[in-house]
Amino acid sequence: MKILNYLKRYSLLIVILIVFTVGQVAATLALPDYTARIINDGIIGNDQNVIVSNGVLMLVVAFAGGICTVIAGYLAARIGTGFSRDLREGLFTKVESFSLAELNSFSTSSLITRSTNDIQQVQMVIVMIMRMVLSAPITAVWAVYKAYSVAPDMSWLMALAVGVLLTIFVVVFSFALPKFKLVQELTDKLNRVARENLTGIRVIRAFNKQLHEAKRLNVVNLDLTRTNLFIARIVALMQPVMFLILNMLSVGVIWVGVHLISDYTLGIGEMLAFMQYAIQVVIAFLLISIVFIMVPRAWVSIRRITEVLSLDALITNPNKPVKPEEKSGTVEFKDVTFGYNNADTPVLENISFTAKSGQTTAFIGSTGSGKSTLINLVPRFYDTLFGEVLIDGVNIREMELHDLRARIGYIPQKAVLFSGTIMSNIAYGTDDASQEQIEKAAEIAQAANFINSFPEKYETQVSQSGTNLSGGQKQRLSIARAIVKDPEILIFDDTFSALDFKTESKLRHALTEITKDKTVLVVAQRVNTILHADQIIVLNQGRIVGIGTHQELMKVCEVYREIARSQLSEEELKKYNGEEEDGRQEG
Amino acid sequence: MDDKKDEKPLEMRRHGPRGGFMGMVGDGQKAADFKGSMTKLLRYIGRFKRSIVVVIFFAVLSTSFSIVSPKILGNVTNQIVDDFIKIVVYDKVTSGLPSGTTLPEGTKGSDILANTDSAIVDKIPADQLETIKSMDFSTRPTIDFDKIGQILLFLVGLYLLSVAFNYTQSWIMTKIAQEVSYKLREEVLQKINKLPLKYFDSHAIGDVLSRITNDIDTIGQTLNQSLTQVVTSIITIIGILIMMLTISWQLTIIAVLVLPVSFGIIGFIVKSSQRLFKQQADDLGEINGHIEEIYGAHNIVSAYNGEAAAINEFNRINANLYDSGWRSQFFSGLMMPIMNIINNIGYVLVATVGGWLAFQGRIGIGDIQAFIQYLQQFSQPVMQAANTTNVLQSTAAAAERVFEFLEEPDEVAEATAPKVIEAAKGHVELDHVVFGYDEDKVVIKDVSVEVQPGQKVAIVGPTGSGKTTIVNLLMRFYDVDSGTIRIDGVDVREMTRANLRSQFGMVLQDTWLFNGTIRDNVAYSKEGATEDEIVNASRLAQVDHFVHSLPNGYDMELNESSDNVSQGEKQLLTIARAMLADAPILILDEATSSVDTRTEVLIQAAMNKLMEGRTSFIIAHRLSTIKNADLILVIRDGNIIEQGTHEELLSQNGFYAELYNSQFAE
């Protein structure tokens, strides 16, 4: 169990914690003894001194017990939160070492839940166990022993009370537990239906379905209310029943005790002490049974955390990293085949091409043709199944990851921003970027205009995931981020779709200036984005079905023609081809 | 308008600890207007007045019974002690007599004392002397089992009644709590359909959702527990004080003197730990935010070698969280041991002083025992009372958020005598329309457009220019600020919204489908659509052929995020839905780029089919669509700045021409 390793470093503290817990229990259980003595020898035995001296002793014991509890509480808090801190750190570091393959095998939102809620859950249970439950078994055993030695003839009362308590507990929870699960499901359902109502509000109103939706929501609401009521009523039963058991136990102890007292088998003080012990035992068993409810819940969380911790990152640094001698950024795919973990058919098959420095290589193809996957192989987000990817002649698997990625500027389809300022977002990954470089990059990325329109310009705050910026603005910032990095290879993963035609064309224009010595890889949906690429690679179902310029491909590649025709009118196609032919004549 | 607010993948607060460790400390959420929100909540609960009176009645009964019982138990002990002392005395006295001696009937203790050496008599304490004097020494006294048995039985009855009343009270209260939650939830859910769209365009979905779930849950839980807790706490405190006084005023003074000390300490701990819990909640929020952000940006973090920086930042926050975490745990955990020590001090004081009083014969041992029980029960309601203020704070905050939502102004009321259009011909007219999302920011400035039946209108403009504004106005999701929109010559504000909207078929790019079967999703647009109609619409929308390749065909369930069909298929489904609605006017949002070429061709075909013979408004991205349009509306910053056909607009050489030419600019 990996998770136990995280507890190990606290073993010494845990031992000390146990010692103090024992002290705490000892004090709690010693108190009834003193009371018994005060009653028997002091009050009945008519001796003031006994009362005072035992009273003083009691105070000392109570105080010592209190100190033990405080120290135990301190240790428990330190251990519990320390443990969850370490675990959280372990988990986070682990996830950071993952490649996209491992990340996607969990899904991002599941990983977030595991790193946040699940850890909290485990911490809560651990602290709970250490603070309240650790003392329970000690108390139970000790109190049973003490009660037994005081009045063995009455022990059956204690056993009876515990038996009744556990029976009720088991019965009640076997009813309630499935309902707890149901409530969770119904709450999720309510959330889901309500969310559907909110996201679909335009459609619902457009089709006049408000009444229909209200009915749907009401059904869930009713179900939830009914189940909640059932649970609330069961839970409400627990407290009075517990008190009833404790009270009945007291009555039983007195009734049986009186008979023992009358023939001198038992002192009155002892009887009252026994009562205290018995109550302690019952409460201890109650706490223990709570553990049996808490632990399975925490267990689910623990398992989910362990799943992540025990998965090893597939993509790691090589033992003997190689650094390419050149720094031109030429990318070469040699017979690359790739498939995701559990898919039976490869996403990419036998891909070979070379993207030269100073040139733009574009990838086009329908959804699922593998073009995004293909360029994700360059920064080693995934590793190839067969074949190799080379940068400046070196297999990227032999390069240090840090070094490899330092050579690449990657711009994803969905712009990703971090909370911070516009400045910090552009400079992300290029810590030493100067203000000038940042402004230049923003200029090229067509972001300077809108940035300067903000009152705080480059110091404008960006909220988490950039909700205060439009999609196009976010995308332009993420392009600026790649530009300021000044890498040898620029990867645009369908970056331009979020931009309108005009901005896109300006941007492409500005880019040509700085990409003279760079390798540019572009994934595109729109044909007009890539019309001027030096090399267009057409993908279909994971295979290359055409490589060439627009004009070449229009002649030889059926898939490309199909794509172009669906997006451009005949007139536009002619226009572009015509331009090109004119150009040729001139040349 | 084009940018939807990103939602957080999780509602983090949802599983946040309510009330800290053991429900002791609230999470520090505070209502801006505590009194106002509480009054509203109380007024809301007011409809259950009678039930609540019954609840309080039973709570009072149940609590009173449980308060009386220690005193009765003490009486039992007193009885036992008295009887036992007599036995002891008898045995002591008679052990001095020669064995086999029988004392004649009616021999009083005073008779024996009279025959005893005065040196021995002097050693006997005064109060025992009295007991001895009045005792009958002819037979060995026994414990009065009958009497004790009777009292115990009475006690058992009392316990059972107390539990019964207690549970009756809970039974009613849970019902009230659940009904209030149900009612609140229902009102909030219905409110969703009454609010103007403006509200949802300016509030995050997660925010509304958390009002429906978290906030109403909080209110429900408080009603379930805290309301009766307040009542029982107060009664318990008063009741115990009374019972203590009936036992001994001297001991009561000791107990009451201990009180302010515990109050002080509880207050201090609650206050400090509240601050610490707030700090912990903040740190937790920060670390969760960081985790969300970094995990969500995994590809960028790796591509820009940001892992080390991310881990550093994480460790910094994690260390803070550890600090505030253990401190708040420890501090709030101090309450129990400190209260215990104080309790024990009280206990020892009571035992000592009580022992002294008993020694003097002023109170019995059972009284001490009862008093100690009261003393122990005293701290619980005091702690609860301290806790309740926190719970009430967070409840008020929750109530405030819920009522705030419920009190949002509804959509503009429908026309009182609405005009009805059965099936519009499709003549649409914008007459000097002025509109702005915010009062001070007009986006549409005095625009007039006339669309003839059957015309195709392309709405074009750069990303983020506000193309959906036109849709919002046509569908009356928003109302114009001035000017008029007419359908077949009727002002849209003179029609009911339902009647107006039934004239429109809408296909948006954000393909909203719900968690249900494909059939239900297609049939959504037409109440009681027949199977034939559904299949026919699906066939026209190119849905039919891909449905047959799906498991279960039309009965296939779309999952929660409806990602078990492709984006293109979703688009086709929404087209089928609009097809089935068969409305005279269409609003289409052309897909930009998210589907593959072949599906694209299908969608295009389906849309063309749909547009046949209908007035259509198309938010266009494709040049072919734009060029074939009868009318092009060019949008910039939400305003319609140019209108006309492709040729007309090109010859104007304005913004449209610039937009068009930029595509081929090199």
Side-chain angles (χ1 to χ4, degrees), chain A residues 203 206-207, chain B residues 471 475 504-512 541 568 570-581 585-591 603 606-607 610-611 617-619:
Chain A
V203 178
F207 289 120
Chain B
V471 180
M475 299 289 280
F504 285 91
M506 192 172 76
V507 179
L508 294 184
Q509 218 194 108
D510 126 50
T511 49
W512 183 81
K570 278 199 264 185
Q571 203 107 42
L572 291 177
L573 280 172
T574 61
I575 295 176
R577 193 165 63 190
M579 195 74 87
L580 183 63
I585 310 172
L586 273 181
I587 292 176
L588 294 177
D589 194 354
E590 254 179 14
I603 292 173
M607 283 200 172
L610 187 57
M611 286 189 285
F617 292 85
I618 308 140
I619 297 175

Side-chain angles (χ1 to χ4, degrees), chain A residues 35 58 195 213 233 502, chain B residues 7 167 347 356 524 658:
Chain A
T35 326
M58 245 180 110
R195 181 183 285 274
E213 291 299 326
R233 285 182 169 167
K502 201 175 159 188
Chain B
E7 287 163 46
Y167 197 59
Y347 178 90
W356 183 69
Y524 193 73
E658 197 187 329

